[in-house]
Amino acid sequence: SSEKFREAFEAINLHFNEIFQKLFGGGECGMRLLDEEDLLESGVDIYAQPPGKKLQNVRLLSGGEEALTVFALLMGIFTYRPSRFCVLDEVDAPLDDANVTRFTNLIQQMSEQTQFIVITHNKHTMKTANTLYGITMEEAGVSQVVSVKFPGQENGDGS
Amino acid sequence: SSEKFREAFEAINLHFNEIFQKLFGGGECGMRLLDEEDLLESGVDIYAQPPGKKLQNVRLLSGGEEALTVFALLMGIFTYRPSRFCVLDEVDAPLDDANVTRFTNLIQQMSEQTQFIVITHNKHTMKTANTLYGITMEEAGVSQVVSVKFPGQENGDGS
Amino acid sequence: LRLDRLEMTGFKSFADKTSVRFEEGISGIVGPNGCGKSNLADAIAWVLGSGTALSLRGEKMDDVIFSGTRTRRPSGVVEATLAFSRTDNEPIVLKETEFSGEVLEISRKLYRSGESVYTVNQRRCRLKDIHSVLEEAGLGFASYALIAQGKIGWFLRAKPVERRSVIEEAA
Amino acid sequence: LRLDRLEMTGFKSFADKTSVRFEEGISGIVGPNGCGKSNLADAIAWVLGSGTALSLRGEKMDDVIFSGTRTRRPSGVVEATLAFSRTDNEPIVLKETEFSGEVLEISRKLYRSGESVYTVNQRRCRLKDIHSVLEEAGLGFASYALIAQGKIGWFLRAKPVERRSVIEEAA
Ligand SMILES: Nc1ncnc2c1ncn2[C@@H]1O[C@H](COP(=O)(O)OP(=O)(O)OP(=O)(O)O)[C@@H](O)[C@H]1O
Ligand SMILES: Nc1ncnc2c1ncn2[C@@H]1O[C@H](COP(=O)(O)OP(=O)(O)OP(=O)(O)O)[C@@H](O)[C@H]1O
Ligand SMILES: [Mg+2]
Ligand SMILES: [Mg+2]
């Protein structure tokens, strides 16, 4: 129903902007309905303005800014409607060290209500995982899962 | 002319396969003409088979395998027809540590005939650069270039 | 409701029966290029019916069945199961069938012949039923919660109408 | 022929006159997200005429002109120059004009009004001329040598006919 859509849209927009400002240390972002009159069909526009920069077309954002902006939206949606689990496949690849830290801090906070499955090559992100699974192909072409670290186990011989 | 095209196609194919095998430590790859009869119009198909795996549709390659395969092709083209310079924007992002090393070894070899401009966040790739330029935005929204390391200068205060 | 484990046999490069337990918090998946990390993520999307052939990087649906190696024959069938443990024990009723008990197991099987079978706790059902059972059980799952490799920028590049569908799923 | 330097004023986030000297070997470009690294790569593609509005991440051609910040006004013009030093001093003749000397400077200017000007060693010419001068001088440049961020997989996903154009450029 259009009522439900408007309620979700407005709440998500609020969370999106809050989380964006936390990740970027300022700036502003949001979604806009292209046709306010027609809640049931209207498309959704999106804008994002990193701190100190002018508001521009989202296509001009850098690779890292783009990844962080969409991630802020996703966490904004989860704040409105928690998801039991979430799979992130190398979402941290375009991020610099400072933004990887902001990304991992945020998923750590959100992991109270959501189980995250995070695929990564980034050493810092690996360190923030509670459980770490290694996948190997000892036999060429055949994947095997080995578990390397459990909650509560220090970085002993596990890693 | 079709003669020139065929000569280029065959030579590039050879180099592509050689470099692929060096990067992957085996396997096989190549391009195929969809229509042998029509050299002037024929489309080009591509296949790649990492070592020990079955030959499959190139869409099934992993993110890192894909980047490395296309990079092998690009260096194959450069071997046939050297390019004075080449710009690579975060091409190493999907690669694991072992493949980053193979990537940097290859560009070091090719850098005798080609100037490489490599944009990266990877510490290992940064170390292989002869000159390193940092870009900052001390004034929000305005980029500035600072040069940090020159050829011959050790990692002194420059990094 | 929490995600307990993923089991799969013959899914892409996972030729042998593989089981992964998921704990609370953050589970990291690591390994060299081409070892099978994204295939594991594809298996989760495939069981939940939110992966089309295209988004699973194949051309046809049976590209998800283990296609063999130099030393192994291809598999004839693929099966993957997601097991959830329930925190509240209210029985879930679906079309006169009652699902009770601690665990909810969603499975999907596909034969080379093209026959595809979904089951919930070993009882056959349709994909639509899976979504309603998960909804009833409070999983609140949506396909936007699976971000495939290299696709994080999807929302910014999508058409305005496509973006709308994400908000509708969340509403 | 070697690439000596890039100079630009008002190109995207490079509001002030910026000059980057390129040495032999590998030049690394580093910096935080959003600082302007890919913009620098776009400047090189733009001068050589191998960037369309779309591949330069803009919607219209004047998206490459510095659009201002909270404290600076937008620029009215953008200019970028690539300077090459020549190793052999054969003069290059193009349409009765002779280019001799050590350095070859290719420049491109664009005004907000839409007027775009290419020059070689301060002499006005068309984009096609630029490509022939570079060819004559032995630059052997091709657009496949510029790999934009996230686009490395382009060749694998392209249609077979599009892949052909890369081989043709190299032939
Ligand atoms: N049906 C199948 N049968 C066997 N192997 C398959 C099948 N489908 C895909 N593969 C193989 O799986 C490999 C890719 O695995 P995947 O994409 O999961 O790697 P990854 O661990 O994510 O690597 P990266 O770090 O590079 O992203 C490919 O080499 C491909 O050949
Ligand atoms: N015409 C313009 N005027 C001013 N700023 C611009 C213009 N076009 C793009 N920008 C700004 O440039 C920034 C993007 O820069 P760029 O893509 O070069 O970053 P980057 O260093 O490559 O970052 P990353 O590491 O995330 O890829 C954006 O924040 C964008 O707002
Ligand atoms: Mg992957
Ligand atoms: Mg960039």
Side-chain angles (χ1 to χ4, degrees):
Chain A
S1 84
S2 68
E3 247 355 277
K4 248 180 124 190
F5 179 82
R6 174 174 282 295
E7 183 218 327
F9 182 82
E10 283 177 357
I12 291 170
N13 225 355
L14 218 64
H15 297 309
F16 175 31
N17 196 32
E18 271 162 31
I19 294 173
F20 180 90
Q21 288 179 339
K22 220 164 58 187
L23 286 175
F24 283 83
E28 203 199 319
C29 73
M31 297 183 291
R32 240 171 357 90
L33 288 174
L34 291 181
D35 180 2
E36 292 278 342
E37 305 306 318
D38 182 2
L39 281 181
L40 286 173
E41 298 289 334
S42 169
V44 169
D45 204 19
I46 182 168
Y47 67 89
Q49 186 180 356
K53 298 185 176 178
K54 264 182 91 168
L55 184 62
Q56 285 183 311
N57 174 358
V58 281
R59 290 178 48 78
L60 288 169
L61 288 175
S62 81
E65 290 172 333
E66 180 181 281
L68 223 56
T69 301
V70 176
F71 191 67
L73 174 70
L74 186 66
M75 293 305 113
I77 294 173
F78 282 5
T79 310
Y80 171 68
R81 187 182 162 72
S83 178
R84 256 334 284 144
F85 69 94
C86 172
V87 177
L88 300 171
D89 194 347
E90 299 198 25
V91 163
D92 55 2
L95 302 180
D96 60 35
D97 290 343
N99 280 329
V100 167
T101 306
R102 291 190 190 110
F103 160 73
T104 52
N105 289 348
L106 184 57
I107 54 173
Q108 274 175 321
Q109 277 165 29
M110 303 290 291
S111 67
E112 314 254 322
Q113 51 180 17
T114 301
Q115 287 168 281
F116 283 97
I117 298 165
V118 181
I119 297 170
T120 183
H121 290 296
N122 187 296
K123 304 244 182 318
H124 179 78
T125 305
M126 290 181 202
K127 283 212 190 71
T128 56
N130 303 103
T131 315
L132 207 56
Y133 287 97
I135 299 188
T136 63
M137 264 193 179
E138 270 153 42
E139 180 189 336
V142 179
S143 297
Q144 234 183 332
V145 177
V146 256
S147 129
V148 282
K149 194 171 93 178
F150 282 102
Q153 183 188 348
E154 271 321 292
N155 254 333
D157 68 337
S159 48
Chain B
S1 82
S2 67
E3 245 358 275
K4 251 184 126 187
F5 179 82
R6 174 176 281 295
E7 183 219 328
F9 182 82
E10 286 179 353
I12 291 170
N13 227 354
L14 219 63
H15 297 310
F16 175 31
N17 195 32
E18 272 162 30
I19 294 173
F20 180 90
Q21 289 179 336
K22 219 163 60 185
L23 286 175
F24 283 82
E28 202 200 322
C29 74
M31 298 183 291
R32 243 172 353 92
L33 287 173
L34 291 181
D35 180 1
E36 293 276 344
E37 306 305 317
D38 183 3
L39 282 181
L40 287 172
E41 299 288 334
S42 169
V44 169
D45 204 18
I46 183 168
Y47 66 91
Q49 187 180 356
K53 298 186 175 179
K54 265 182 93 163
L55 184 62
Q56 286 183 316
N57 172 1
V58 281
R59 289 177 47 79
L60 288 169
L61 288 175
S62 82
E65 290 172 334
E66 180 182 282
L68 224 56
T69 300
V70 176
F71 191 66
L73 174 70
L74 186 67
M75 293 306 113
I77 294 173
F78 282 4
T79 309
Y80 171 68
R81 187 182 165 76
S83 177
R84 255 336 282 145
F85 69 94
C86 172
V87 177
L88 301 171
D89 194 347
E90 299 198 25
V91 162
D92 56 1
L95 303 179
D96 61 34
D97 290 344
N99 280 330
V100 167
T101 306
R102 290 190 191 109
F103 160 72
T104 51
N105 289 348
L106 184 58
I107 54 173
Q108 273 174 321
Q109 277 165 30
M110 303 291 292
S111 68
E112 311 223 337
Q113 52 181 14
T114 301
Q115 288 168 281
F116 284 97
I117 298 165
V118 181
I119 297 171
T120 182
H121 290 294
N122 187 297
K123 305 243 181 318
H124 179 78
T125 306
M126 290 181 201
K127 282 213 191 70
T128 55
N130 303 103
T131 316
L132 207 57
Y133 287 97
I135 298 188
T136 64
M137 264 192 179
E138 269 153 44
E139 180 189 337
V142 178
S143 298
Q144 233 183 334
V145 177
V146 248
S147 136
V148 281
K149 192 171 95 179
F150 281 102
Q153 184 190 346
E154 271 320 293
N155 253 335
D157 65 338
S159 48
Chain C
L1 199 76
R2 347 162 320 100
L3 175 63
D4 260 356
R5 69 174 192 288
L6 164 71
E7 255 170 41
M8 51 185 163
T9 310
F11 187 88
K12 288 197 170 186
S13 52
F14 292 93
D16 300 326
K17 187 178 164 97
T18 306
S19 179
V20 183
R21 268 190 65 71
F22 292 113
E23 310 291 335
E24 285 294 349
I26 302 170
S27 300
I29 311 266
V30 300
N33 288 138
C35 71
K37 301 182 296 295
S38 297
N39 290 346
L40 188 146
D42 289 345
I44 294 174
W46 184 71
V47 174
L48 295 168
S50 72
T52 61
L54 195 68
S55 67
L56 294 169
R57 295 177 291 163
E59 285 193 337
K60 30 189 208 319
M61 280 318 276
D62 67 358
D63 273 345
V64 295
I65 305 176
F66 177 66
S67 63
T69 63
R70 284 183 188 286
T71 52
R72 287 203 189 204
R73 299 159 50 78
S75 300
V77 67
V78 56
E79 183 168 13
T81 301
L82 279 174
F84 299 92
S85 60
R86 305 182 53 208
T87 30
D88 85 351
N89 273 342
E90 290 299 312
I92 301 174
V93 185
L94 188 82
K95 285 192 192 152
E96 297 100 42
T97 340
E98 202 177 275
F99 297 100
S100 52
E102 295 281 324
V103 181
L104 208 59
E105 286 192 8
I106 315 272
S107 293
R108 183 173 179 182
K109 221 175 184 164
L110 176 72
Y111 295 90
R112 282 248 180 237
S113 63
E115 197 201 342
S116 167
V117 178
Y118 282 96
T119 58
V120 177
N121 289 0
Q122 277 88 35
R123 271 187 272 221
R124 246 188 119 119
C125 61
R126 292 164 316 165
L127 176 58
K128 268 208 334 269
D129 301 334
I130 291 207
H131 288 160
S132 7
V133 166
L134 288 176
E135 193 68 36
E136 283 284 310
L139 178 68
F141 168 75
S143 58
Y144 55 68
L146 304 177
I147 307 268
Q149 192 169 358
K151 300 271 184 279
I152 179 80
W154 170 79
F155 194 84
L156 296 187
R157 288 176 216 299
K159 294 197 185 61
V161 177
E162 293 165 357
R163 290 185 190 138
R164 181 197 166 81
S165 64
V166 168
I167 310 297
E168 281 173 343
E169 254 191 300
Chain D
L1 199 78
R2 8 164 300 105
L3 174 63
D4 261 356
R5 70 174 191 286
L6 164 72
E7 254 169 41
M8 52 184 162
T9 312
F11 187 87
K12 289 198 171 185
S13 52
F14 292 93
D16 300 326
K17 187 178 163 94
T18 307
S19 178
V20 184
R21 267 189 65 73
F22 292 114
E23 309 291 336
E24 285 295 350
I26 302 171
S27 301
I29 312 265
V30 300
N33 288 138
C35 71
K37 302 183 294 297
S38 297
N39 290 347
L40 188 147
D42 289 344
I44 294 174
W46 185 72
V47 174
L48 295 168
S50 72
T52 61
L54 195 69
S55 68
L56 295 170
R57 295 178 290 164
E59 287 196 334
K60 33 190 204 318
M61 280 318 276
D62 66 359
D63 274 345
V64 294
I65 306 176
F66 176 68
S67 64
T69 63
R70 285 185 188 286
T71 52
R72 287 201 188 203
R73 297 163 48 79
S75 300
V77 66
V78 56
E79 182 169 14
T81 300
L82 279 173
F84 298 91
S85 60
R86 307 184 53 209
T87 31
D88 84 347
N89 274 343
E90 292 297 313
I92 301 175
V93 185
L94 188 84
K95 287 183 175 162
E96 297 100 42
T97 336
E98 205 178 271
F99 297 101
S100 52
E102 295 283 325
V103 181
L104 209 59
E105 286 192 6
I106 316 268
S107 292
R108 184 175 180 181
K109 220 174 185 164
L110 176 72
Y111 296 89
R112 282 246 181 240
S113 64
E115 197 200 343
S116 167
V117 179
Y118 284 96
T119 57
V120 177
N121 289 359
Q122 278 85 37
R123 270 185 274 219
R124 246 187 119 122
C125 61
R126 294 163 315 163
L127 176 58
K128 267 205 344 260
D129 302 332
I130 290 203
H131 288 160
S132 5
V133 167
L134 289 176
E135 193 65 39
E136 281 287 307
L139 178 68
F141 169 76
S143 57
Y144 55 69
L146 305 177
I147 307 265
Q149 193 169 358
K151 299 273 184 278
I152 179 80
W154 170 81
F155 195 85
L156 296 186
R157 288 176 215 301
K159 296 198 183 60
V161 176
E162 293 165 4
R163 290 186 190 136
R164 180 195 166 82
S165 65
V166 168
I167 310 296
E168 280 173 346
E169 251 191 302

